[in-house]
Amino acid sequence: MLSSIRTQLVVVLAALIALILVQSYIAHENQAVLNRGVDSASAAITAVGTVKELERDVVDLQRNVLIFKENASSSAITRFTRLMASIDAKLDTLAQSNIVYSESDENHVLTRMHEHLDAYKDNFSQVVDARAKRDNLVSEGTLASIIALQNLTARLVEQGEISASTFNEIKGQLILAENATLKYLQKPDIIFVNAFNQALRPFASIVNGESDSSAERITARVDRLKADFLTLTQITQGNLFLVNVVMAGSAREFLYLSGELANNVSAQSDAITIKTYELAAKTQKNGELFSLFSILLALLAAIFTIVRILGPIRSITSVFNKLSQDVQIENIPGSKRIDEIGKLSRAAMVFSDKNRQTQKLLEDAQNLNVEQERLNRELRVSKLKAEQATASKSIFLANMSHEIRTPMNGIIGLIELAQKQTLSSTVRDYLDKAAYSGQILLSVINDILDFSKIEAGELKIEEVNFSLHSLFDNLIAVIALRAKEKNLSVRFSVNPSLCSQIVGDPLRIAQIIMNIGNNAVKFTEQGRIEIDFDGALSDSGDLFNLTMRVSDTGIGMSQAQLGRIFKPFTQADGSTNRTYGGTGLGLAIVSQLVQLMHGELHATSALGKGSEFVITLPLKVINQQKGVLHQTPALPHDSLYVTDCALLPQAYIQHLQLSSQSIVTIEQGKDKADLPAHILIDVPDFATFRQNLSWFKTLVEEGKSVGLVMESAGSALQAKYASLWHNPLIMHPFTPVQFERFIKQVITKDTPEESQIVKDKENEEKNVLFEGHVLLVEDNNINQLVTGEMLTNVGLTFDVAEDGKQAVRKIENSSEYDLILMDVQMPVMDGYEATKALRAKGFTDIVIIGLSANAMKEDKQNAIDAGMNDYLTKPIKQKALTVKLAQFLTDGAHDGNSKNNYHI
């Protein structure tokens, strides 16, 4: 164990440290002893000073007592009280100092001093009380008795009971008694007591000759005067004894004890000082011994370090220097030692052996570096190829989008044209299914294109000002239509205080909510879909957190399935894909769009119980906005809401200012005698509607304004409602704008002109006809046929050009075209080049609408930059083409030959 140099050094260092610690402890104790001695001396000086102050205070006490004895001054009492408090405080200070106590002092001096001080205080209280009694006895006793006796003899003379000579003798003796009393009060001497008694002694002989009653009355009053004077002399003598004997003795005893206290303090201080010097000398001696021992040990440690460590290390350092210079060493000193020096020597031997191996490894490393450089060059080439492949993939996706959408345009267009023909029910059913399949295929293509753009980092999030009302309208139109096919109930609610104008990307927000809403409809066979919109400003106040919640009562998912649904090309499980179809890209795109918008997406679900998706997006908002329902008026205060289970959201009910007293059941409403002028009635199903229809109509005939709130229903049932009820009606799901219109109709008692279903049906049956001549530039024969047929359906004539070069030539030869439909991707000359060429040749007024299967936003911008007026994405629908043509072929005010006339 001790063969290790480290152990030996640790032992030596530990011993040195222990000695240093012991020496530090001794020095600390020596310093502590000195400090205690100094503190004791300081305490002794302070205590002696306090004792001297006590002596002065006691002398002051005695002086104030004498002052009080002479003149009974109240200020003397105040000074006496202040001095007593000061003496008590100083005695308490001395009691807290250990320097005052003596271990052999059984009768503690301070205790005795306290006892004398308390006795002195009590005696002074007695002196004050006695002086007060004496003064009271003088004023109300002796002198008052003399005056009373004078008054008595004066009345007796007036009454004739005594003679005038007797009165004069009594008066003279009373004057002598009064003078003796006053002199005794000034100087309490026995002479004045004898003079007082001598003045009263002749009263018996003076009244001897008077009547018995008068003599008795005068004698009784004289006896009382003698008793009062006797009490006065006793109080005065007792008071003098307390002051001159008792209190003076207590003061002298107190002064004696203070001297004893000073002697005790001095003795204690001297003893502590002697003890301090002895301990300091002893500690210093021990410290010197430990210091000497520490020096010796330090010298031994230095010699040991030089002989056993530094010398061998110097030798081994020389060996390593030679080894670093590739000098071969045969014999290394210290290799036989068993300590660290020996290990270091043996390591040097190993280092010598490894040195030769290192030279070989260096040569191998140089060869590896050459190989690494070759691999790095190959990696750079691979990286360049990967970047080119990514760019190629984007180009490939764009080309694939065009190549797939071009035939899709033909397929969907031909099917749409065929559906307008007179067909058998079987063929029409086949065409409807083919059209539906085409829409599914187009949706898959759009999902793949969006996912590829997100993956390539090319999808940009816009920030434009848009209205949430348009988002609500589109959402309800799409979700409600699909839900009606499955007879599902759809509830849509919006927080009334939600801002209507938002800054963000309306297209992507709509894509998020519609994707989740469509999923809810897809995976729900029965029950309800709930869509809620809410929002609030962030804590910092600069962002508006828009919250969208979609919940359903569908098939639901397990936690394991829930963890997979946001991965691309993945659904909850294989059976879901087989049953419901889909690419598995929808929720992956939603998740990535939410991330791009810095939002949050939370999903919860349970098997067989449905799912809930909550999306929160931080958006900018225009300040000082009112809520989406701010234009919706409240119902009159006496309005009634008839419902068994409210179909209106609670927030809407509160906005209408309907109290709990305004809400009744249908049965209660029927039994109510006086119904208000405005009534809202919930109709949960057609059976309830049919059962109560006669009551509804009766209310209307009575002049009531009745509005019905309906649960979701299919198109046929909705048409049935509209045919039987021609008053205000609203059906789930409805937007805030629709709710506002409905409430205004109820308040103003307006009757809707016609139902929205009838309007839509009539609009579908209307044919739009234009007058004009169009140049169709399209290289695909099928698309020429489809687009040409669509132009013919709206009354337009057209010519066909198969590429851009041919189109430019036809325009140059004849400029009678009112509009050009220009495909973008064509052989020979594409649509961009053809448009630029036409604009360059001066054809700036002619309208050019681009046609392309590329659905990227930048594709439309490229078309506008090339000089086109607008842009249509394939596959082209008849309705979309008609709407676009109506934007540019609507000026028919010139004459009948104008090619810009249109007729509806």
Side-chain angles (χ1 to χ4, degrees):
M1 184 81 178
L2 291 175
S3 61
S4 171
I5 292 178
R6 182 177 62 182
T7 303
Q8 295 169 2
L9 286 175
V10 168
V11 170
V12 173
L13 291 175
L16 286 173
I17 292 171
L19 287 172
I20 292 172
L21 291 175
V22 171
Q23 187 176 3
S24 298
Y25 174 75
I26 292 172
H28 178 267
E29 287 298 315
N30 190 20
Q31 184 64 38
V33 170
L34 291 175
N35 289 339
R36 285 196 295 270
V38 172
D39 292 340
S40 298
S42 177
I45 293 172
T46 303
V48 170
T50 304
V51 171
K52 296 301 181 183
E53 292 177 359
L54 281 174
E55 293 175 350
R56 288 195 299 271
D57 290 344
V58 170
V59 173
D60 287 341
L61 273 179
Q62 188 64 16
R63 184 172 61 253
N64 278 280
V65 169
L66 294 176
I67 292 172
F68 180 79
K69 185 191 72 170
E70 294 298 329
N71 54 23
S73 172
S74 59
S75 60
I77 297 175
T78 303
R79 289 194 296 273
F80 181 89
T81 304
R82 190 179 300 122
L83 286 170
M84 288 298 292
S86 175
I87 293 171
D88 278 335
K90 290 171 182 175
L91 288 177
D92 291 339
T93 302
L94 291 173
Q96 295 174 2
S97 175
N98 292 332
I99 196 68
V100 176
Y101 293 94
S102 174
E103 296 179 357
S104 61
D105 188 8
E106 296 181 356
N107 298 320
H108 199 282
V109 175
L110 288 177
T111 303
R112 293 166 61 191
M113 293 176 74
H114 268 296
E115 292 173 355
H116 284 289
L117 190 65
D118 293 339
Y120 198 87
K121 187 189 300 183
D122 294 338
N123 291 332
F124 184 72
S125 299
Q126 293 177 15
V127 169
V128 174
D129 292 340
R131 182 57 183 260
K133 289 179 180 180
R134 195 195 77 165
D135 292 342
N136 185 56
L137 191 60
V138 169
S139 60
E140 298 181 2
T142 305
L143 295 180
S145 296
I146 292 173
I147 295 172
L149 186 56
Q150 290 176 348
N151 294 335
L152 176 61
T153 54
R155 286 196 303 272
L156 291 175
V157 170
E158 290 176 358
Q159 295 173 1
E161 295 184 8
I162 63 174
S163 62
S165 59
T166 300
F167 172 73
N168 291 329
E169 289 180 7
I170 291 173
K171 185 175 180 182
Q173 293 302 120
L174 289 177
I175 292 173
L176 292 175
E178 184 178 3
N179 290 335
T181 300
L182 293 175
K183 291 178 180 180
Y184 181 78
L185 290 176
Q186 292 178 355
K187 183 178 181 182
D189 197 337
I190 192 62
I191 298 173
F192 303 117
V193 174
N194 293 333
F196 179 83
N197 292 330
Q198 187 176 358
L200 296 181
R201 191 174 295 118
F203 269 83
S205 59
I206 293 174
V207 298
N208 191 21
E210 304 296 333
S211 63
D212 292 339
S213 61
S214 298
E216 288 177 2
R217 292 174 66 184
I218 294 172
T219 302
R221 180 62 65 178
V222 170
D223 292 339
R224 183 175 178 181
L225 178 59
K226 289 178 180 180
D228 289 341
F229 185 77
L230 178 61
T231 303
L232 176 64
T233 58
Q234 290 174 349
I235 291 174
T236 304
Q237 293 302 318
N239 206 8
L240 289 174
F241 179 79
L242 280 175
V243 173
N244 297 332
V245 178
V246 178
M247 295 183 71
S250 295
R252 285 192 295 273
E253 183 64 21
F254 192 88
L255 292 174
Y256 170 77
L257 290 175
S258 65
E260 289 293 320
L261 184 62
N263 294 333
N264 289 343
V265 170
S266 299
Q268 285 286 91
S269 176
D270 294 340
I272 291 173
T273 303
I274 293 172
K275 187 176 180 180
T276 300
Y277 285 138
E278 292 175 353
L279 289 175
K282 183 179 179 181
T283 305
Q284 183 177 2
K285 182 178 179 181
N286 292 335
E288 291 173 353
L289 291 175
F290 277 106
S291 298
L292 180 61
F293 189 70
S294 299
I295 293 171
L296 293 176
L297 187 58
L299 289 174
L300 292 174
I303 294 171
F304 171 81
T305 303
I306 293 172
V307 174
R308 295 287 295 173
I309 300 175
L310 295 180
I313 287 177
R314 189 181 299 109
S315 300
I316 294 174
T317 302
S318 176
V319 169
F320 275 103
N321 287 333
K322 292 179 180 179
L323 290 175
S324 65
Q325 298 172 4
D326 296 333
V327 176
Q328 298 299 322
I329 304 297
E330 299 297 333
N331 185 21
I332 297 177
S335 59
K336 295 182 179 181
R337 291 176 58 166
I338 61 175
D339 55 14
E340 287 81 357
I341 298 297
K343 293 178 181 179
L344 190 59
S345 298
R346 289 188 289 274
M349 294 177 64
V350 173
F351 183 78
S352 178
D353 296 335
K354 296 295 182 180
N355 200 13
R356 290 187 290 269
Q357 297 177 5
T358 302
Q359 292 178 354
K360 185 176 181 304
L361 290 174
L362 182 60
E363 294 175 0
D364 295 340
Q366 291 173 347
N367 296 331
L368 288 175
N369 287 336
V370 174
E371 182 66 17
Q372 185 67 38
E373 289 179 359
R374 184 185 64 79
L375 292 174
N376 287 339
R377 287 194 297 271
E378 293 179 357
L379 181 61
R380 286 193 293 271
V381 173
S382 298
K383 180 182 177 184
L384 181 61
K385 289 181 179 180
E387 292 173 348
Q388 292 174 347
T390 301
S392 299
K393 183 176 75 170
S394 299
I395 297 173
F396 171 76
L397 286 172
N399 292 334
M400 285 301 296
S401 172
H402 180 271
E403 294 302 325
I404 293 175
R405 286 174 182 270
T406 298
M408 281 295 298
N409 182 56
I411 294 170
I412 294 175
L414 288 172
I415 292 174
E416 185 178 356
L417 293 174
Q419 287 175 318
K420 295 181 179 295
Q421 306 301 318
T422 302
L423 302 169
S424 66
S425 60
T426 302
V427 174
R428 181 170 296 280
D429 182 57
Y430 290 161
L431 288 175
D432 290 342
K433 291 179 179 179
Y436 181 71
S437 299
Q439 292 300 325
I440 292 176
L441 180 58
L442 188 61
S443 176
V444 171
I445 294 170
N446 289 335
D447 282 348
I448 294 174
L449 190 60
D450 280 341
F451 179 76
S452 301
K453 286 192 289 184
I454 294 173
E455 190 180 48
E458 296 181 357
L459 187 67
K460 305 298 181 184
I461 301 299
E462 289 186 332
E463 284 195 359
V464 297
N465 184 15
F466 71 97
S467 173
L468 283 177
H469 290 296
S470 61
L471 176 64
F472 299 155
D473 292 339
N474 294 332
L475 176 62
I476 293 299
V478 174
I479 301 298
L481 181 63
R482 297 190 178 185
K484 286 178 182 178
E485 297 172 358
K486 304 173 76 171
N487 286 331
L488 296 176
S489 171
V490 179
R491 295 286 182 88
F492 180 80
S493 64
V494 180
N495 187 332
S497 62
L498 189 68
C499 301
S500 60
Q501 294 295 322
I502 302 293
V503 178
D505 192 329
L507 175 63
R508 298 307 173 187
I509 295 175
Q511 187 175 0
I512 290 171
I513 190 66
M514 287 186 181
N515 219 324
I516 294 180
N518 287 333
N519 264 9
V521 175
K522 179 194 294 186
F523 296 111
T524 303
E525 296 301 328
Q526 59 183 2
R528 177 186 298 173
I529 312 294
E530 293 186 359
I531 304 173
D532 299 325
F533 277 75
D534 201 349
L537 288 173
S538 62
D539 295 337
S540 58
D542 57 345
L543 291 177
F544 182 80
N545 293 320
L546 178 64
T547 302
M548 301 173 285
R549 184 182 67 86
V550 180
S551 61
D552 60 66
T553 58
I555 61 175
M557 294 171 285
S558 66
Q559 291 301 312
Q561 292 170 337
L562 193 63
R564 296 194 298 265
I565 60 172
F566 296 110
K567 296 180 180 179
F569 307 106
T570 304
Q571 291 195 349
D573 56 26
S575 62
T576 301
N577 188 37
R578 290 191 299 271
T579 305
Y580 298 96
T583 62
L585 282 176
L587 290 180
I589 293 173
V590 167
S591 176
Q592 292 173 336
L593 286 176
V594 171
Q595 291 180 8
L596 287 173
M597 295 183 187
H598 308 290
E600 296 180 358
L601 171 61
H602 299 286
T604 56
S605 185
L607 279 174
K609 296 183 179 180
S611 305
E612 179 178 270
F613 292 83
V614 179
I615 305 100
T616 302
L617 300 176
L619 305 172
K620 295 179 181 178
V621 66
I622 300 174
N623 294 329
Q624 306 297 330
Q625 283 196 62
K626 297 180 180 179
V628 292
L629 289 181
H630 77 279
Q631 292 184 345
T632 303
L635 290 173
H637 69 278
D638 60 343
S639 300
L640 197 65
Y641 183 28
V642 181
T643 178
D644 292 332
C645 182
L647 295 180
L648 290 179
Q650 185 62 35
Y652 288 21
I653 296 175
Q654 293 176 355
H655 182 80
L656 295 177
Q657 298 182 5
L658 290 169
S659 63
S660 57
Q661 291 78 14
S662 303
I663 303 176
V664 298
T665 64
I666 293 179
E667 295 301 324
Q668 292 172 342
K670 288 182 176 180
D671 295 339
K672 199 172 179 65
D674 297 326
L675 293 176
H678 302 86
I679 306 173
L680 294 183
I681 303 177
D682 280 349
V683 181
D685 49 44
F686 187 75
T688 304
F689 175 77
R690 183 172 51 195
Q691 181 181 356
N692 296 281
L693 180 60
S694 60
W695 179 52
F696 299 160
K697 291 183 176 180
T698 301
L699 293 175
V700 174
E701 291 172 359
E702 293 176 354
K704 313 294 185 186
S705 179
V706 180
L708 301 185
V709 182
M710 304 285 191
E711 183 58 276
S712 302
S715 299
L717 189 57
Q718 190 172 353
K720 187 71 173 177
Y721 281 129
S723 65
L724 296 175
W725 182 255
H726 303 291
N727 293 284
L729 178 148
I730 192 169
M731 180 175 291
H732 281 288
F734 50 82
T735 65
V737 172
Q738 293 170 338
F739 181 70
E740 175 189 336
R741 183 167 57 246
F742 167 70
I743 295 300
K744 287 181 178 180
Q745 289 173 354
V746 172
I747 293 176
T748 59
K749 299 184 180 181
D750 287 345
T751 301
E753 295 179 0
E754 52 185 344
S755 69
Q756 191 64 35
I757 296 177
V758 176
K759 285 185 178 180
D760 292 342
K761 186 174 180 180
E762 289 182 356
N763 288 338
E764 289 177 0
E765 294 175 353
K766 289 182 180 178
N767 292 323
V768 180
L769 297 178
F770 299 96
E771 288 185 5
H773 192 52
V774 176
L775 177 62
L776 174 61
V777 187
E778 172 65 65
D779 63 320
N780 185 279
N781 294 331
I782 300 299
N783 287 337
Q784 291 175 1
L785 173 62
V786 172
T787 309
E789 186 66 23
M790 290 181 178
L791 293 172
T792 301
N793 287 340
V794 295
L796 295 173
T797 58
F798 65 92
D799 292 336
V800 177
E802 296 186 351
D803 57 62
K805 187 175 182 180
Q806 189 179 123
V808 173
R809 188 183 306 116
K810 283 192 174 187
I811 296 296
E812 288 178 335
N813 293 336
S814 175
S815 59
E816 295 298 322
Y817 297 106
D818 298 287
L819 185 141
I820 301 174
L821 295 177
M822 179 78 72
D823 190 20
V824 172
Q825 290 183 326
M826 295 180 294
V828 183
M829 179 184 288
D830 62 26
Y832 295 142
E833 294 177 356
T835 300
K836 292 177 181 178
L838 288 173
R839 299 307 189 199
K841 293 179 182 292
F843 298 99
T844 57
D845 294 332
I846 190 168
V847 176
I848 302 177
I849 298 177
L851 306 177
S852 175
N854 295 335
M856 300 278 193
K857 179 183 176 182
E858 53 268 23
D859 295 323
K860 180 176 181 179
Q861 188 60 45
N862 291 338
I864 301 301
D865 294 341
M868 296 182 181
N869 298 87
D870 215 324
Y871 188 85
L872 270 174
T873 302
K874 295 180 181 179
I876 300 172
K877 296 290 190 69
Q878 178 74 66
K879 184 177 180 181
L881 179 62
T882 303
V883 171
K884 194 66 68 176
L885 292 173
Q887 295 178 11
F888 300 101
L889 299 178
T890 57
D891 186 7
H894 298 297
D895 54 55
N897 296 326
S898 172
K899 295 181 178 60
N900 290 335
N901 289 337
Y902 77 97
H903 303 284
I904 299 179

